[in-house]
Structure formats: C-alpha cells, structure tokens
C-alpha cells in the first residue's frame, strides 16, 4: 500500500539479462515514479562493476547500494572453497567504498549458527568462535548477539545490518548491537577469531 518503493533491489542475477538492459529498466521505474532508488543483492563484484559502467555509459541512474551476506563467521564458502566473509571483505568492500555504494549486510548471526542457545559440536571451529565471541561479550558486559551486530557495523563501508529477528527480544538485541562501540582491543580479538574460523573452514573445503 505504498505509492513509491524507496529502494528496489534486484535479488539475484539471472545470468542472461545484459547490464545495459537492467539499467534501462530501472530507469524506467524511476521515471514512472514507482521507485526512488535501486540496487542489487547477491551480485558478484564483477557484475556490480558492469552495472555501474553500463549506467554511466547510458546516463541512467546508478545503483546506490547492495544487500549481501556478511558475518564474523562466514560458514558459507565460495565455489572456490574460500570463506565467503574473507572473500567479501577482500573483493567487494573495496569496490563499494571506491564507488560510494552503501551496503545492507544480512545474517549477522551467520544464518543462526552464532545464536546463543544453538547446539554446537564441542571442539568444532564454530564452538571455538562462539567461545571467542562470548569472551569479548563478557569483557564488555553485553551479549554475543550484540557483539555480532557491532562487528558487522564496524566494517568500513557497511551502512546497516539486517537481522532475522524472530521475537521482540531479538529486535531489542539487534538495536542494542547497533549502539555498541567495540574498543580496539575487542576488535583485534574478534579479527583474530574471524581469521581462525575462516582458516578452519577453508581447510575442510
């Protein structure tokens, strides 16, 4: 029941439609007053670059941002067997910063794997990561969920975090995480924990 969609996201590449066509179609929606801005979700860096170049060449409205999976854990791997979190920070974040694009980062709890109370195999890389997160949370007097959200927001180029809240309490946790400032010592501990987890996941690929 809205007259205009503020931000319209192309959720997944279809593998066939040229970048020029997509840009032209988004411009038609803007000209018609149906949307204000557009962006993409789950598009690789080379496709984002292609869309930016196509829009600049055609003189159409540029995409303003992306929505992507970014979490301190990153249990998901790329097709090449690399930690998706590590890959994203190395390949996509520099592109977004250079182009001035915003990032809506989803799944700060890594698809629920990092949620407190979730059954985790003892001695596993995930269990170690959860212990590292809880150690930082304990030092700061906050919760693991808040630390996960805060870590994502501390990544340069992240505009906002999109969490999968299932209760009002979860919403409160997400909001509290957006207000949490992580001291340098905590950030260093979390970076080490993230790297260790990425190494462990990649070694099993």
């Amino acid at each position: 029941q809205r007259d205009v969609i503020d931000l319209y996201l192309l959720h997944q590449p279809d593998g066939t439609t040229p970048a020029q066509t997509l840009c032209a179609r988004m411009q038609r929606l803007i000209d018609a007053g149906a949307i204000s801005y557009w962006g993409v979700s789950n598009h690789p860096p080379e496709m984002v670059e292609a869309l930016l170049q196509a829009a600049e060449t055609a003189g159409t409205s540029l995409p303003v941002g992306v929505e992507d999976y970014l979490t301190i854990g990153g249990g998901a791997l790329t097709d090449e067997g690399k930690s998706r979190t590590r890959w994203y920070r190395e390949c996509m974040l520099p592109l977004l910063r250079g182009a001035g694009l915003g990032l809506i980062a989803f799944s700060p709890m890594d698809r629920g794997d990092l949620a407190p109370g979730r059954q985790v195999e003892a001695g596993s890389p995930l269990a170690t990561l959860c212990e590292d997160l809880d150690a930082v949370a304990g030092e700061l007097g906050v919760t693991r969920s808040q630390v996960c959200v805060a870590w994502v927001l501390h990544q340069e180029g992240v505009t906002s975090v999109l969490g999968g809240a299932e209760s009002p309490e979860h919403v409160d946790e997400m909001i509290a995480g957006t207000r949490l400032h992580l001291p340098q010592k905590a950030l260093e501990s979390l970076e080490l924990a993230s790297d260790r987890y990425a190494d462990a996941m990649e070694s099993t690929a």
Side-chain angles (χ1 to χ4, degrees):
Q1 298 180 348
R2 293 183 60 86
D3 296 325
V4 182
I5 295 174
D6 297 322
L7 176 61
Y8 186 84
L9 296 173
L10 302 175
H11 183 64
Q12 197 82 17
D14 63 11
T16 57
T17 308
Q20 296 87 345
T21 302
L22 290 173
C23 292
R25 289 176 179 172
M26 293 302 101
Q27 187 61 52
R28 285 203 295 271
L29 290 174
I30 291 174
D31 292 342
I35 67 174
S36 297
Y37 304 98
W38 70 281
V40 297
S41 178
N42 302 306
H43 284 58
E46 59 270 18
M47 189 163 291
V48 174
E49 286 188 294
L51 289 167
L52 288 168
Q53 292 173 2
E56 289 176 353
T57 300
T60 58
S61 297
L62 296 168
V64 298
V66 304
E67 178 192 52
D68 278 312
Y69 166 77
L70 181 61
T71 172
I72 191 171
L77 301 176
T78 66
D79 292 339
E80 295 74 28
K82 187 166 186 175
S83 159
R84 187 172 165 90
T85 292
R86 177 174 284 169
W87 166 83
Y88 199 87
R89 296 175 73 189
E90 292 176 357
C91 298
M92 182 67 96
L93 289 183
L95 168 63
L96 299 181
R97 290 194 294 266
L101 299 181
L103 168 60
I104 302 171
F106 68 79
S107 199
M109 305 302 295
D110 202 359
R111 305 163 300 178
D113 287 348
L114 299 176
R118 177 66 62 90
Q119 290 294 329
V120 179
E121 181 183 354
S124 67
L126 182 58
T128 300
L129 176 60
C130 289
E131 291 168 3
D132 292 337
L133 287 166
D134 289 341
V136 171
E139 291 177 0
L140 299 178
V142 298
T143 66
R144 185 196 304 172
S145 301
Q146 292 172 30
V147 171
C148 289
V149 170
W151 182 88
V152 174
L153 281 174
H154 273 72
Q155 305 308 300
E156 186 180 359
V158 174
T159 308
S160 62
V161 176
L162 179 62
E166 297 176 343
S167 69
E169 291 75 21
H170 290 171
V171 174
D172 292 339
E173 285 284 283
M174 296 294 107
I175 293 174
T178 67
R179 296 170 176 163
L180 174 62
H181 173 74
L182 294 173
Q184 185 60 35
K185 181 181 177 182
L187 283 171
E188 291 172 357
S189 296
L190 293 171
E191 288 299 314
L192 181 59
S194 182
D195 283 339
R196 276 200 301 253
Y197 185 69
D199 289 341
M201 298 307 296
E202 291 176 357
S203 68
T204 63

